[in-house]
């Protein structure tokens, strides 16, 4: 069973940046970032032209396809579970061995060091949708937020390293930052070479597990900055561009539930519902099960319900002219708020009773005392189910 504790209040741990607002952005004035542009151009060309040509001319071993899949998933998970949820948002603690795996396979995804990636990402959360400060602001268009922000040295892309002081103290992260280029090259070229040598398909392995894996891994992650801010629903908040999108979640190991994530960035889950496709949360939970991850942070369920209700109120208010009068909406809002308060109080009592029961068990108290508390708990749970159903009915009227 996963160990969990309530998350603290702040949404992220990025302190205020030191710099004042940079100059207004201009796509033309920013100088070209040639190394990054060339890297993207060459790897894309190799993936689009080189890989199909090689496949048609020579064919690929099945093992090269298998390793392509394995490394694609390993890169993706190192970015989502490691770079994003562990390092950038500190949503749990991880054993050094797990952190080492994250920095190795994260460097293989070629998205810069943990420090640089996390600095940019913390600023993205803090200044979301601000075209001058959000490094991959979706309001500057699909191309810019997807890849364009890396192709030129925009003022908004200057990483504020003062936001990652906590990570600089982590020896594994610091080691990766110091030797980033060597690690990235060893993982991208050295590893496929060695595996290809073992399986007897060196060139095929370099094509599939090297090039094609890298290019696909890049774009799956980049979709989170572009499409996940443009396409999908906004069940938790409409105060920013982030969206929840199942299709993106499927390709990005759960990161597509981006609306929830921007609302509750300190939760280790992105797909918060049990049925939502979020292999990253399952992996983190599994690591917790084997003792490599602990202190998994979760937003209390009631706060999530509150956010859902608030978002529904706002939607209902926008539609009130069409469907119902303002007075009715106000009345409905009051009833839901009352139900919600009663529900929260009942749950607090329930939590207290559970604690009392645990204490009574520890103190080896009288048997009757156990059963009295257990009976009250059962009654309360019965009542809670009814309260929840009433809230759902009221919510349905708001939609
Ligand atoms: Zn985002
Ligand atoms: Zn994030």
């Amino acid at each position: 069973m996963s160990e969990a504790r309530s998350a603290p209040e702040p949404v992220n741990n990025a302190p205020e940046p030191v710099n004042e607002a940079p100059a207004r952005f201009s796509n033309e004035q920013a100088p070209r970032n040639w190394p990054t542009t060339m890297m993207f151009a060459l790897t894309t060309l190799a993936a689009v032209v080189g890989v199909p040509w090689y496949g048609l001319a020579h064919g690929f071993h099945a093992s090269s396809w298998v390793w392509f899949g394995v490394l694609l998933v390993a890169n993706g998970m190192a970015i989502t579970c490691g770079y994003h949820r562990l390092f950038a948002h500190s949503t749990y603690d991880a054993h050094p061995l797990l952190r080492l795996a994250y920095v190795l396979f994260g460097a293989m995804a070629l998205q810069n060091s943990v420090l640089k990636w996390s600095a940019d990402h913390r600023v993205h959360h803090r200044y979301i949708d601000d075209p001058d400060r959000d490094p991959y602001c979706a309001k500057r268009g699909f191309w810019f937020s997807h890849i364009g922000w890396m192709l030129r040295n925009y003022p908004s892309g200057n990483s504020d390293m003062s936001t990652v002081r906590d990570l600089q103290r982590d020896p594994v992260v610091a080691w990766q930052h110091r030797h980033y280029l060597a690690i990235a090259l060893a993982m991208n070229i050295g590893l496929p070479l060695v595996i290809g040598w073992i399986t007897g398909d060196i060139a095929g392995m370099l094509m599939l597990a090297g090039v094609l894996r890298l290019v696909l891994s890049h774009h799956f992650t980049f979709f989170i900055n572009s499409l996940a801010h443009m396409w999908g629903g906004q069940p938790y908040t409409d105060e920013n561009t982030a969206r929840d999108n199942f299709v993106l979640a499927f390709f990005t190991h759960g990161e597509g539930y981006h609306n929830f994530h921007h609302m509750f960035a300190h939760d280790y889950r992105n797909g918060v519902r049990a049925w939502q496709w979020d292999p990253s949360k399952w992996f983190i939970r599994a690591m917790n099960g084997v003792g490599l991850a602990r202190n998994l942070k979760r937003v209390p369920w009631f706060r999530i319900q509150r956010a859902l209700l608030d978002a529904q109120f706002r939607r209902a208010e926008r539609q009130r002219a069409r469907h119902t009068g303002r007075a009715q909406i106000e009345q409905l809002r009051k009833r839901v708020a009352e139900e919600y308060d009663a529900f929260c109080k009942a749950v607090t009592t329930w939590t207290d009773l559970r604690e009392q029961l645990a204490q009574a068990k520890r103190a080896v108290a009288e048997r009757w005392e156990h059963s009295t508390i257990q009976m009250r708990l059962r009654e309360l749970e019965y009542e809670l189910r009814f309260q929840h159903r009433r809230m759902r009915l009221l919510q349905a009227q708001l939609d």
Side-chain angles (χ1 to χ4, degrees):
M1 198 47 214
S2 75
E3 181 193 343
R5 65 179 160 91
S6 286
E9 279 299 313
V11 167
N12 69 40
N13 24 28
E16 286 290 343
V18 202
N19 300 332
E20 278 306 301
R24 286 293 301 175
F25 67 89
S26 160
N27 291 2
E28 291 76 36
Q29 280 167 12
R32 166 83 48 200
N33 182 338
W34 279 110
T36 306
T37 304
M38 290 310 290
M39 184 272 289
F40 282 128
L42 292 175
T43 52
T44 306
L45 193 71
V48 174
V49 180
V51 173
W53 166 80
Y54 185 88
L56 289 172
H58 304 281
F60 295 111
H61 282 197
S63 61
S64 300
W65 280 114
V66 171
W67 279 102
F68 156 81
V70 168
L71 293 175
L72 183 65
V73 172
N75 285 183
M77 296 290 271
I79 294 293
T80 61
C81 305
Y83 271 47
H84 189 210
R85 302 190 197 183
L86 174 69
F87 296 120
H89 291 300
S90 315
T91 64
Y92 63 102
D93 300 327
H95 189 277
L97 271 178
L98 186 57
R99 298 210 303 276
L100 181 67
Y102 285 153
V103 303
L104 288 176
F105 287 98
M108 190 177 189
L110 220 56
Q111 296 180 24
N112 235 314
S113 68
V114 166
L115 280 182
K116 172 104 176 54
W117 197 103
S118 302
D120 289 342
H121 193 71
R122 287 177 180 182
V123 173
H124 165 64
H125 271 265
R126 180 162 286 262
Y127 295 115
I128 180 171
D129 296 333
D130 179 339
D132 295 326
R133 294 182 172 207
D134 179 351
Y136 24 88
C137 176
K139 288 193 168 165
R140 290 171 74 169
F142 176 86
W143 176 257
F144 178 87
S145 56
H146 190 74
I147 194 170
W149 68 278
M150 291 174 277
L151 302 181
R152 289 181 183 274
N153 296 317
Y154 296 104
S156 53
N158 288 335
S159 306
D160 181 359
M161 300 308 268
S162 70
T163 60
V164 286
R165 298 252 157 82
D166 55 320
L167 295 177
Q168 283 166 335
R169 287 191 290 272
D170 181 334
V172 181
V173 170
W175 170 78
Q176 191 228 33
H177 191 70
R178 267 198 313 278
H179 306 289
Y180 175 71
L181 193 63
I183 300 170
L185 287 174
M187 294 300 287
N188 273 286
I189 300 169
L191 186 63
L193 240 150
V194 172
I195 303 174
W197 177 69
I198 294 169
T199 60
D201 182 23
I202 292 183
M205 192 67 76
L206 279 172
M207 287 283 173
L208 292 183
V211 176
L212 189 63
R213 180 264 321 155
L214 177 66
V215 172
L216 286 182
S217 164
H218 270 157
H219 290 284
F220 287 156
T221 304
F222 299 165
F223 279 138
I224 299 304
N225 298 336
S226 55
L227 278 186
H229 280 267
M230 294 170 183
W231 175 34
Q234 295 183 294
Y236 299 96
T237 177
D238 53 9
E239 287 174 357
N240 59 57
T241 53
R243 311 292 166 122
D244 268 17
N245 184 314
F246 166 77
V247 181
L248 286 179
F250 182 78
F251 288 105
T252 55
H253 312 295
E255 300 280 276
Y257 297 106
H258 208 55
N259 188 253
F260 176 84
H261 174 63
H262 269 280
M263 189 71 188
F264 301 111
H266 47 295
D267 194 309
Y268 82 96
R269 305 159 298 179
N270 277 14
V272 73
R273 308 271 179 101
W275 49 267
Q276 284 177 326
W277 178 260
D278 186 358
S280 301
K281 85 179 166 194
W282 297 322
F283 180 80
I284 294 166
R285 230 178 269 168
M287 289 298 103
N288 179 236
V290 297
L292 290 176
R294 59 195 173 87
N295 295 335
L296 276 50
K297 293 177 192 162
R298 279 189 187 143
V299 177
W301 183 74
F302 314 106
R303 283 189 55 206
I304 298 172
Q305 293 302 309
R306 175 94 254 182
L308 282 170
L309 275 176
D310 285 347
Q312 278 173 319
F313 278 137
R314 277 198 296 275
R315 273 199 301 276
E317 275 178 334
R318 275 199 296 271
Q319 291 170 355
R320 70 172 184 264
R322 259 199 333 224
H323 297 297
T324 179
R326 187 175 180 83
Q328 282 151 299
I329 278 286
E330 281 308 317
Q331 207 180 10
L332 202 54
R333 176 200 275 273
K334 233 180 109 198
R335 276 184 63 201
V336 178
E338 280 164 9
E339 282 289 345
Y340 178 77
D341 282 347
F343 185 66
C344 285
K345 276 185 195 126
V347 173
T348 310
T349 316
W350 179 79
T351 315
D352 290 346
L353 275 174
R354 296 266 299 188
E355 182 55 29
Q356 273 181 38
L357 184 65
Q359 275 175 7
K361 276 181 181 164
R362 274 200 295 274
V364 201
E366 295 290 336
R367 214 176 170 74
W368 64 267
E369 199 179 331
H370 286 180
S371 54
T372 313
I373 298 174
Q374 266 164 346
M375 210 164 72
R376 282 172 63 198
L377 265 173
R378 267 199 296 276
E379 281 168 10
L380 197 54
E381 280 164 5
Y382 187 69
E383 175 59 21
L384 272 169
R385 271 197 290 276
F386 269 100
Q387 283 183 329
H388 191 232
R389 209 171 297 161
R390 280 202 301 275
M391 276 201 332
R392 298 291 297 243
L393 283 173
L394 285 167
Q395 281 175 25
Q397 289 180 44
L398 282 168
D399 273 338

